[in-house]
């Protein structure tokens, strides 16, 4: 073989080795960059800039995937889009995402941004409003403030300011109960009806259970109101088999809202301390010997029986007065923490937990959620890291 041909072979071998090395490096880098892009896309909903992508990929390569996730969370779109769409269905009976920004959604966004303990979302004297010039002031009688923030594409991650409901509304501090006493929640769940809707939708949105899942016919019926017939259509079996299981637990809990209403004539939440709203006495002739609501005291009959599995906090008394203490009861349950983590997992991973590995991850994140002072931001980051390889 000639020297020239030998040199050609050596060059080819070296070139091939270099190409293989480059290919291996590209494959490794592409894996980290792909995961970084997945993290950013799922958390922020938009592609990262080249600089951000490189920084996130470097964090992942260094074993700091959580840092990469928090970098994506710092993108304003996490708050303006991802969180807004995450919370919007909780604010209306249709559970639709296609609703205007409102005080309920804005408060959830602000609490997540500021790492407010999320187990206070149903009890705190808290409300987030915008501070942007040219936007109508917050009003108890309309949603113009929040619609203007949204219509003008104002960055919620920077303009939302933590206030107290008792500071900017006429609700006394003891009558505030986090998002349950926002105008949006009141308009959706206190309007008309019997105020049971506020309890049912809070149970669905924040404990991931509807009444069908928690019905328990072994609970005593002594707090079921007069409007519930004990023999619908003349058949008491219907009450015993279909009505008792829900109302025996729900009615003693929904009594916490006895002083609240949403007044359509003035388009705002109304609270009259010490005055039971007339809706609690409607259809009283359906069963005149039924319970007559005297005040806003509530009791949790579900602490015993099958619904003890919801994991009620043993340090709480299981009874009280008003919406605030009821919110504390619900949001300190194991079911609340499990619900928040599962909702975030579905939002970020685009799927429900599917197998043992997923369920074990949920359990780990529930513990992390509690140990991080109920930081929902932490749950978003951990969920995104878990699913970044999907």
């Amino acid at each position: 073989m000639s020297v020239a041909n030998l040199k050609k072979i050596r060059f080819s071998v070296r070139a091939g080795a270099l190409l293989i090395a480059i290919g291996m490096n590209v494959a490794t880098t592409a894996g980290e960059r792909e995961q970084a892009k997945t993290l950013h896309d799922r958390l922020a909903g938009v592609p990262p800039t080249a600089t951000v992508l490189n920084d996130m990929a470097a964090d992942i390569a260094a074993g700091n995937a959580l840092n990469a996730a928090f970098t994506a969370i710092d993108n304003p779109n996490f708050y303006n889009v991802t969180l807004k769409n995450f919370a919007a269905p909780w604010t209306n009976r249709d559970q639709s995402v296609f609703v205007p920004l409102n005080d309920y959604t804005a408060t959830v966004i602000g609490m997540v941004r500021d790492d407010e303990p999320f187990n206070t979302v149903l009890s705190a004297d808290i409300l987030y409003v915008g501070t942007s010039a040219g936007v109508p002031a917050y009003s108890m009688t309309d949603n113009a403030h929040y619609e203007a923030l949204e219509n003008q594409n104002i960055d919620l991650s920077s303009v939302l300011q933590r206030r107290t409901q008792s500071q900017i509304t006429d609700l006394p501090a003891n009558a505030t109960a986090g998002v349950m006493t926002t105008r949006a929640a009141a308009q959706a769940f206190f309007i008309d009806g019997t105020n049971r809707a506020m309890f049912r939708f809070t149970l669905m949105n924040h404990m991931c259970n509807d009444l069908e899942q928690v019905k328990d016919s072994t609970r005593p019926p002594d707090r079921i109101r007069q409007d519930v017939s004990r023999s619908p259509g003349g058949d008491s079996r219907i009450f015993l088999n279909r009505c008792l299981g829900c109302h025996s637990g729900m009615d003693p809990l929904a009594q916490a809202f006895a002083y609240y209403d949403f007044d359509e004539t003035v388009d705002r939440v109304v609270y009259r301390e010490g005055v039971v709203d007339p809706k609690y006495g409607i259809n009283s002739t359906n069963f005149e010997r039924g319970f007559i609501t005297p005040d806003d005291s509530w009791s949790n009959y579900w602490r015993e029986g099958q619904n003890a599995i919801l994991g009620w906090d043993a340090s709480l008394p299981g009874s009280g007065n008003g919406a605030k203490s009821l919110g504390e009861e619900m949001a300190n349950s194991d079911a609340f923490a499990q619900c928040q983590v599962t909702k975030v997992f579905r939002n970020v991973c685009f799927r429900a937990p599917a197998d043992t590995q997923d369920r074990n991850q949920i359990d780990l994140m529930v513990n992390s959620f509690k140990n991080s002072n109920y930081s929902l931001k932490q749950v978003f980051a951990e969920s995104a890291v878990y699913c970044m390889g999907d």
Side-chain angles (χ1 to χ4, degrees):
M1 181 179 296
S2 67
V3 174
N5 287 338
L6 183 59
K7 287 181 178 180
K8 287 180 181 180
I9 291 172
R10 287 175 179 170
F11 175 80
S12 298
V13 170
R14 288 172 182 168
L18 180 61
L19 288 173
I20 291 172
I22 292 174
M24 290 174 63
N25 184 60
V26 168
T28 303
T29 304
E32 291 149 1
R33 290 172 65 84
E34 184 177 286
Q35 289 177 338
K37 186 176 184 303
T38 297
L39 275 180
H40 202 279
D41 288 351
R42 293 191 176 185
L43 287 168
V46 293
T49 64
T51 301
V52 168
L53 181 62
N54 288 337
D55 290 345
M56 290 176 65
D59 276 335
I60 292 171
N64 297 321
L66 273 179
N67 286 352
F70 282 114
T71 297
I73 284 173
D74 286 340
N75 187 291
N77 283 285
F78 173 72
Y79 301 97
N80 295 321
V81 180
T82 303
L83 274 183
K84 183 172 77 69
N85 291 340
F86 180 66
W90 311 343
T91 70
N92 61 94
R93 295 190 186 218
D94 293 332
Q95 298 185 303
S96 172
V97 70
F98 301 107
V99 293
L101 180 71
N102 53 57
D103 54 353
Y104 188 139
T105 305
T107 298
V108 170
I109 294 171
M111 290 185 73
V112 174
R113 183 198 66 187
D114 295 346
D115 262 336
E116 291 283 340
F118 205 69
N119 65 330
T120 66
V121 71
L122 303 179
S123 61
D125 183 4
I126 192 170
L127 191 70
Y128 277 81
V129 298
T131 57
S132 181
V135 172
Y138 176 85
S139 172
M140 291 186 70
T141 60
D142 63 50
N143 193 46
H145 174 75
Y146 296 97
E147 291 183 25
L149 289 173
E150 184 171 43
N151 293 337
Q152 296 178 32
N153 295 316
I154 294 173
D155 181 9
L156 301 177
S157 69
S158 62
V159 303
L160 289 180
Q161 181 182 44
R162 188 191 193 283
R163 304 286 292 279
T164 62
Q165 291 183 39
S166 59
Q167 181 183 30
I168 60 175
T169 74
D170 59 11
L171 293 175
N174 66 292
T176 61
V179 294
M180 289 195 293
T181 48
T182 58
R183 181 181 180 277
Q187 186 178 43
F189 310 128
F190 280 149
I191 196 169
D192 301 326
T194 60
N195 281 1
R196 293 184 179 102
M198 179 63 79
F199 175 76
R200 182 198 171 205
F201 280 91
T202 303
L203 181 71
M204 292 167 62
N205 293 326
H206 294 286
M207 294 180 72
C208 293
N209 279 277
D210 202 350
L211 293 171
E212 189 65 29
Q213 283 79 56
V214 295
K215 64 186 299 185
D216 179 4
S217 298
T218 69
R219 300 300 90 207
D222 60 312
R223 297 276 285 273
I224 301 179
R225 296 182 219 163
Q226 293 174 308
D227 63 326
V228 180
S229 173
R230 275 32 172 205
S231 55
D235 190 343
S236 61
R237 292 174 300 176
I238 296 177
F239 168 76
L240 293 172
N241 292 312
R242 297 183 185 177
C243 309
L244 172 63
C246 295
H247 284 281
S248 60
M250 172 173 58
D251 282 16
L253 291 166
Q255 192 174 329
F257 307 123
Y259 301 159
Y260 296 89
D261 190 21
F262 187 84
D263 190 336
E264 289 184 88
T265 61
V266 290
D267 210 24
R268 51 157 293 178
V269 61
V270 174
Y271 176 80
R272 302 179 182 91
E273 189 163 4
V275 180
V276 175
D277 195 88
K279 66 176 63 177
Y280 276 73
I282 65 172
N283 299 321
S284 60
T285 59
N286 284 354
F287 188 72
E288 294 181 353
R289 288 175 291 174
F291 184 73
I292 300 173
T293 304
D295 52 35
D296 67 347
S297 61
W298 60 269
S299 295
N300 186 359
Y301 286 10
W302 287 336
R303 277 183 166 252
E304 298 179 359
Q306 67 184 44
N307 290 318
I309 198 173
L310 297 175
W312 307 102
D313 188 342
S315 70
L316 296 175
S319 62
N321 287 84
K324 183 182 290 290
S325 58
L326 176 63
E328 292 173 351
E329 174 82 346
M330 298 178 77
N332 284 285
S333 66
D334 291 340
F336 174 87
Q338 185 89 12
C339 179
Q340 310 316 306
V341 169
T342 302
K343 288 186 301 184
V344 171
F345 184 98
R346 288 174 173 168
N347 182 272
V348 173
C349 298
F350 301 156
R351 61 182 177 81
D355 54 23
T356 300
Q357 183 177 344
D358 287 351
R359 289 189 288 273
N360 289 341
Q361 178 66 19
I362 293 290
D363 290 341
L364 289 172
M365 291 193 296
V366 167
N367 289 330
S368 176
F369 182 41
K370 293 178 178 179
N371 293 333
S372 64
N373 199 23
Y374 289 88
S375 168
L376 203 64
K377 190 188 297 184
Q378 180 78 19
V379 179
F380 270 94
E382 291 178 2
S383 296
V385 169
Y386 177 75
C387 298
M388 69 183 183
D390 284 1

